[in-house]
Structures are given as structure tokens and as C-alpha cells.
Amino acid sequence: MGLNSDVMAGEIAPGRPGNLTPEQEEKLRQLWQLVFQVCGVVKPENGTATEQAPPAPPVEKVEKVEKAAKKTSRMSIFRRGRKESDADTTTPVTPPPRPPPSVILTTKENDEDKYGQIKHFYDTLASQTPESIRSTIWSMVKHDHPDALLLRFLRARKWDVEKALIMMVSTMSWRAQEMKVDEEIMKNGDAAAAEAEKDGTDPVKQRLGHDFLHQARIGKSFVHGTDKQGRPICYVRVRLHRQGEQLEESLEKYTVYVIETCRHLLQPPVDTATIVFDMTGFSLANMDYTPVKFMIKCFEANYPESLGAVLVHKAPWVFQGIWKVIRGWLDPVVANKVHFTNNVKEMEEFIAVDRIPKELEGQEDWEYKFVEPIPGENDKMSDVETRDRLLSARQLLVKQFEEATQQWIQHPEAEKGDEIKARRAELATKLREDYWNLDPYIRARSFYDRTGVLGAGGVINFYPREKKLNEKVDEITNGVEKVALAQSNPVDTSADDVD
């Protein structure tokens, strides 16, 4: 069954901000409450939300403790004193008192925990401070509605609040500690890769920079246009991949870079993207299971509810056996979003034919051409003073949103309930607008910034040539209308007006 091309633009899907059932709202409040506990955000008697977490205990020499104590320590936000060699523990030392667990869950490790996120959750609480987790959460929010981020995890875990929290905290650790998404990948961008590529003093760094940029230059994957539901389309030209051509680290960083960039190209209420795997010219030499597994994990574990549809286009018969293997790795929900298309007519069920590039036998006269980083395009990132001022201002907005959320949690049905909701919605809008003021100071410019697709203030325009043409047509039309108006209303003149 094809998708309806008349899906209402601006229609809010169920389970999103502005379209929640009372039960879903309650689940959202519960998740916010747990997030605040994890992040050390408490509500004191004066009614103002603050970060209030006890200081981490000092590092001391600690003797070997029983396994039960070790298990309990996993429940704490803070890291216990480190153990040292047996030679250093001849004199027993009483471990310092640990703060109480930030949150105790009933969810246990089981076979359904595909990516070991429960263990990752407790490890994160034990190794990272509440403020670092809080900072990562707000860094991931970016221009999104804060509720929208939490709702992604709730929907992915079928509204199980504990499982949503586990998934969310695990994702934050992955972003900050493992991939360094905002600290390195997005902050450095392709401009840093271009610099690294020229650096002959560090061969590994040079190789990583080259590998990263090479994928962008050849257009192995890129985002262009929207489908019939307004979702950005990420094209992956599978024939351009060869196993072993790029380092695994570079492949993973580029994958995350493309996903994060696509997030910047989402316009509410659209909150998912479509991926087109162009299998034209595919052979077994192009098949590489390692990056496929990484991509699957990204979407299932760290970018939940981000996929709208996946189109596998013109897959040859040899791919049938490969697909059976890949399908076995996929969550059934994700697998059901995969559609096979063999020609432009079938693709047209998802994407309007005038939005399908000619490369794929569509009607859009567009082709991907990479634009190299421009000298000076990231100069604002050197303006640390302005960046810090903007970050401080944003922190105030964050605290105000947290305060309003605390009020919403405590008084969901109070007389001022609607007023509190309106306040939260207003602050969410301010946070969105504020992010785009901060963006040039924390994120390196991308191909999409250079080509005008991503404009100032987060304005998205995938079809700039079409926009210019429409503006030209409007200009001509307005000119013709003015001439017609002048002719229909001639100005009377007298002899006295003539010299």
C-alpha cells in the first residue's frame, strides 16, 4: 500500500508534544522525575529547581570488599574509591560513606536487553557525575523540544518508564564518553578533517581525516530533499563502499556525523528521516557487515524513533541472502519500516517523482557535488567570550524549563495546570530559537550550511534554485501587475501640466 502524498503538513503524530493522551502525559512526567533524580536536580522548599548533588567521595586506598558491596556500588551515581594493589591494602581502610542511590529500578538484566544497556546504565551512574549526564542530555536536545527527546525513548520502550530511562542514560554515555558526538564530531566537522588530512606529522590522524573527507567528497551518503511526508531523505550509494578502504573509526564517525547533521535538518512536527539505500551496481565487493551492524545499533540503541522509512532500491538477486542475515539482526519494528523498490514508479509511492533525482530515474535535475570547507567559515568558534555568554544565557533557560517541569510534575491537574503547560511550551520555543543563536559557536559549518540548505536561524531550504526561480516569477508577476494597474488608472493631465 502506498503512502498518501496528501499527509497533512503540520499534523502532529501521536505520542509527540502537543498530541499526548493523559496516560502518556503521566508517563512523561514520571520519566522527567527520574531524569531529575539521575541529574541531581531537586526541588527545595523555596520552589526553585537547583542542581543539588553531594560531592564525590575522596579517592582513598580501599581494601578488598565483599562482592555484595561491589554490587551495591553500581547503584550509586558516584564512583567508589579506587582499589589499588594488594601491597597497598595491608592496612584496612574503611570505605567512605557513599551517597544513597540516585534511582533504584526494578528492571533486571535479561535476554531482551540486546545491547547490554542495563549494565551500561549502572556503570554510567557509577562513573559519571550527575551534572555531566545532565549536560549531555541538554546538549543532545539542541533545537528540539525537550519533551520530544524524552518521548522518543518512551515510544521506543513502549512507554515503560524505567526502560526508557535506562536507554536514555546509556545513550548519553555513548554520546559523551564513547563517540564524543558534540565534543569532537560536530565541533570539528569536515573542516578539521581537511586540516588533519594535510598534517603529515601524525599518520593516523591524517588517515582518519582523509577517510572522513573522502566519504563526503564522493557522496557515499548525503541528505537531500524530502519525501511525501516532509521527511529529509538520506541517500546511501552502496556501490561506493569497499571493505577496508576506510578505517572503522572513520566509518563510524562519518555515520554519526551524517545522522546528527540530518537531525539539524528536521523541521517540527517532522521528527524522522527516510533512508534510501541505492543498490545500483551493487556487488559482493560492496558488502561490509561491520558498518551495517554499527548503523543498526545507532538507530536501535542511540537514535530511537528516528527512522521513518528505509527504501532498498534496485537490490540485485545476490542481496537476497544478505538481507536474510541483516533482517535477523533488526528489531521487528525497524524491519517493518524497510521497503524494497525496483523502479521509480515504486519509489514514487514514498517520494514525489519531481523530488527523485535523475540519477535514480526521477525528474529532479540535481546531483551531489561536495563543496570544500571555506577558510574562515568557523571563525565564530574562536570567539570564546561570546560562546560562553550564550551558553550562560542558555543555562538560565534550561533551569527555567526544569523549574516549570517540576511544577508540572507536582501539580499536573492544579488550577494553574494550563498556565504551567503554556509556560513550558513558551520556554521550549525560546530554547529552540536560542540554540540557533549558539549553533555557529559550537558546531563547525557543513556542506549544508555552505550550499544554503541550512540557513541562519535553522531555516531549511532543500531546493534553493526552485526558491530563487519562484522569487523571480513573483518579481515579474508583481511588475506586470503594477504596469496593468497603472494602465487601468491613467493619470489625468492638463495643459498647465505640460511645459
Side-chain angles (χ1 to χ4, degrees), residues 377-417:
E377 68 181 7
N378 295 316
D379 283 353
K380 286 187 176 181
M381 298 185 73
S382 301
D383 187 353
V384 178
E385 183 179 347
T386 301
R387 181 202 67 191
D388 290 348
R389 175 174 55 79
L390 290 170
L391 283 170
S392 296
R394 184 168 181 79
Q395 187 63 20
L396 289 176
L397 282 176
V398 166
K399 287 186 177 182
Q400 290 173 15
F401 186 88
E402 290 174 337
E403 289 168 11
T405 302
Q406 292 276 14
Q407 294 172 12
W408 182 53
I409 291 170
Q410 293 188 352
H411 310 289
E413 304 301 333
E415 292 181 6
K416 293 187 176 181

Side-chain angles (χ1 to χ4, degrees), residues 127-226:
S127 63
Q128 296 182 37
T129 66
E131 178 54 31
S132 69
I133 298 173
R134 174 175 177 263
S135 177
T136 306
I137 289 172
W138 283 104
S139 180
M140 186 176 183
V141 168
K142 299 189 190 314
H143 59 294
D144 209 351
H145 192 306
D147 285 353
L149 180 63
L150 272 69
L151 287 167
R152 287 182 183 276
F153 293 97
L154 280 169
R155 295 196 306 273
R157 289 297 175 257
K158 298 178 174 59
W159 301 93
D160 184 310
V161 177
E162 285 195 359
K163 290 180 179 179
L165 178 72
I166 289 168
M167 185 184 195
M168 186 173 178
V169 171
S170 177
T171 291
M172 297 311 145
S173 177
W174 176 84
R175 289 180 69 87
Q177 303 299 316
E178 189 174 335
M179 293 306 301
K180 301 186 185 302
V181 176
D182 296 306
E183 182 183 343
E184 291 184 3
I185 294 177
M186 301 310 292
K187 181 181 177 181
N188 295 339
D190 51 17
E195 289 298 317
E197 187 182 38
K198 300 172 187 174
D199 184 5
T201 62
D202 187 336
V204 175
K205 183 179 178 181
Q206 185 179 39
R207 171 75 186 277
L208 287 170
H210 171 76
D211 285 357
F212 186 96
L213 262 184
H214 178 70
Q215 295 176 84
R217 285 171 176 151
I218 65 175
K220 179 186 287 187
S221 58
F222 56 87
V223 183
H224 175 69
T226 54

